[in-house]
């Protein structure tokens, strides 16, 4: 199975309005409620691709109960650790006139030392049956900045390949713990390396410890640096829609490709096609399956140079 870790799970609410105007009241035309958090979104896409998937992390309070109820019929196995605090909510407001999305994210519950210890115990047990693990998203209050670095070291000790998708100090410390793959976006990569040149920055991130780095470049696709080479993958045209969850679908594509031992160009093509198909879907954690199948053959994967 593939294990995804979402320490800061969320109950995702998506509101659609005809037009979003500051300082005005809005009549919501449609509401969608989904279990969320980056790793849960990744797990849902992996399950849709046919992979056995387990989700872990934290869930608590009334919002956490709703999240678990919504997750139950979707495919991933629920191994979330209960906590006293309430799972956060995120609100995405989609302006249907422009396609733009405004995102509001709550901080998450405060995790106690005892709850963190319970998670580590569960994580160790789950690693025994994992073919790969993805560590995704922000850290909730109470969890130390080196948490992902600790989880990477435990995965490496268990012989389980690990993908890291986070930002800021947790990304910096996590990369130093030598994950098999780090997947920052362009801004996160700049914050990590200090370079605004993606090509230079992905090589720098590898020198800091990651075996491979795949940078999300928004509508320009993905830039990947690995021991095997350097590639850029891009969709044939920019997808218009809700970008929430698009990066998580890319992670699912990369992780499934790793487990299936696909060559890097095929992994990247899958990741880009899934990402674009998610932009075209109505809610985070979903992708338009027909659009994915149509997009996949048209993804342009270019070999840039030999990776440093």
């Amino acid at each position: 199975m593939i294990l995804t870790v979402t320490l800061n799970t969320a109950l995702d609410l998506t509101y659609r309005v005809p037009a979003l105007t500051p300082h005005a009241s809005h009549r919501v035309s449609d509401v969608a409620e989904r279990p969320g958090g980056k790793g849960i979104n990744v797990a849902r896409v992996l399950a849709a691709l046919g992979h056995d998937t387990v989700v872990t992390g934290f869930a608590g309070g009334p919002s956490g109960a709703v999240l678990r109820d919504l997750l139950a019929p979707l495919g991933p196995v629920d191994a979330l650790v209960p906590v006293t605090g309430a799972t956060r909510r995120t609100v995405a407001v989609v302006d249907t006139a422009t396609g733009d999305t405004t995102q509001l994210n709550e901080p998450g519950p405060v995790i106690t030392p005892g709850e963190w210890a319970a998670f580590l115990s569960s994580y160790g047990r789950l690693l025994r049956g994992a073919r790969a693990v993805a560590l995704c998203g922000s850290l909730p209050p109470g969890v130390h900045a080196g948490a992902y670095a600790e989880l990477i070291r435990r995965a490496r000790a268990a012989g389980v390949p690990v993908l890291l998708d986070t930002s800021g100090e947790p990304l910096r410390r996590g990369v130093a713990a030598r994950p098999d793959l780090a997947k920052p976006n362009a801004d996160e990569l700049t914050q990590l390396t200090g370079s605004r040149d993606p090509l230079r920055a992905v090589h720098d991130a590898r020198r800091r410890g990651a075996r491979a780095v795949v940078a999300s470049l928004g509508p320009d696709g993905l830039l990947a640096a690995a021991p095997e080479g350097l590639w850029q993958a891009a969709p044939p045209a920019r997808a218009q829609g809700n970008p929430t969850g698009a990066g998580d679908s890319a992670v699912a594509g990369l992780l499934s490709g790793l487990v299936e031992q696909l060559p890097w160009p095929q992994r990247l093509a899958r990741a880009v096609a899934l990402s674009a198909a998610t932009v075209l879907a109505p809610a985070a954690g979903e992708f338009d399956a027909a659009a994915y199948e149509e997009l996949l053959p048209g993804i342009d994967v270019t070999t840039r140079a030999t990776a440093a």
Side-chain angles (χ1 to χ4, degrees), residues 163 165 181-186 189 198-199 202 213-225 230-235 246-255 264-276 299-304:
L163 181 153
D165 182 14
L181 175 60
K183 199 213 73 65
N185 63 32
L189 189 62
L199 187 59
V202 291
V213 177
V214 177
S216 295
L217 305 179
D220 294 327
L222 300 174
L223 178 64
L230 180 71
W231 300 270
Q232 185 158 358
D248 304 330
S249 291
V251 168
L254 293 168
L255 202 58
W264 270 103
Q266 291 183 37
R267 297 187 204 182
L268 295 168
R270 177 184 291 181
V272 170
L274 283 170
S275 181
I299 302 301
D300 179 31
V301 183
T302 304
T303 301
R304 294 284 300 268

Side-chain angles (χ1 to χ4, degrees), residues 36-301:
K38 293 179 72 64
I40 288 181
N41 293 338
V42 171
R44 291 177 60 192
V45 175
L46 286 169
L49 292 172
H51 287 277
D52 293 332
T53 311
V54 175
V55 297
T56 190
F58 298 111
S63 52
V66 173
L67 181 152
R68 300 183 86 160
D69 286 344
L70 293 171
L71 181 63
L74 297 179
V77 174
D78 178 356
L80 295 167
V81 175
V83 294
T84 301
T87 294
R88 67 186 178 132
R89 295 161 297 181
T90 69
V91 179
V93 183
V94 181
D95 183 325
T96 57
T98 65
D100 292 336
T101 301
T102 299
Q103 190 83 14
L104 304 172
N105 297 330
E106 296 179 357
V110 176
I111 304 302
T112 68
E115 290 165 346
W116 177 245
F119 168 79
L120 289 177
S121 178
S122 176
Y123 179 70
R125 291 192 299 271
L126 291 168
L127 282 176
R128 296 180 198 136
R131 299 175 66 192
V133 59
L135 309 176
C136 303
S138 62
L139 301 179
V143 175
H144 63 97
Y148 283 139
E150 181 178 359
L151 300 184
I152 290 166
R153 288 191 290 269
R154 290 178 181 238
R156 287 175 57 83
V160 179
V162 56
L163 181 153
L164 177 64
D165 182 14
T166 188
S167 60
E169 185 65 10
L171 174 62
R172 186 185 70 80
R173 296 194 188 191
V175 164
R178 304 184 66 80
D180 294 88
L181 175 60
K183 199 213 73 65
N185 63 32
D187 289 340
E188 292 161 353
L189 189 62
T190 296
Q191 291 172 9
L192 174 67
T193 66
S195 175
R196 294 191 176 277
D197 176 357
L199 187 59
R200 179 178 297 176
V202 291
H203 287 307
D204 189 357
R206 286 197 62 220
R207 285 191 289 268
R208 291 168 184 259
R211 184 176 187 274
V213 177
V214 177
S216 295
L217 305 179
D220 294 327
L222 300 174
L223 178 64
E228 299 86 348
L230 180 71
W231 300 270
Q232 185 158 358
R238 180 170 184 170
Q240 296 292 328
N242 181 1
T244 304
D248 304 330
S249 291
V251 168
L254 293 168
L255 202 58
S256 62
L258 183 156
V259 168
E260 295 170 29
Q261 299 182 327
L262 297 180
W264 270 103
Q266 291 183 37
R267 297 187 204 182
L268 295 168
R270 177 184 291 181
V272 170
L274 283 170
S275 181
T278 299
V279 174
L280 299 172
E286 298 179 355
F287 65 95
D288 185 317
Y292 166 66
E293 295 294 341
E294 183 177 347
L295 285 162
L296 185 58
I299 302 301
D300 179 31
V301 183

Side-chain angles (χ1 to χ4, degrees), residues 1-57:
M1 62 86 172
I2 299 175
L3 176 63
T4 72
V5 175
T6 313
L7 297 179
N8 209 7
T9 57
L11 181 61
D12 286 343
L13 303 173
T14 302
Y15 295 157
R16 302 182 74 87
V17 298
L20 183 61
T21 306
H23 316 300
S25 292
H26 296 79
R27 188 174 297 277
V28 177
S29 60
D30 181 69
V31 179
E33 190 175 51
R34 299 287 188 273
K38 293 179 72 64
I40 288 181
N41 293 338
V42 171
R44 291 177 60 192
V45 175
L46 286 169
L49 292 172
H51 287 277
D52 293 332
T53 311
V54 175
V55 297
T56 190

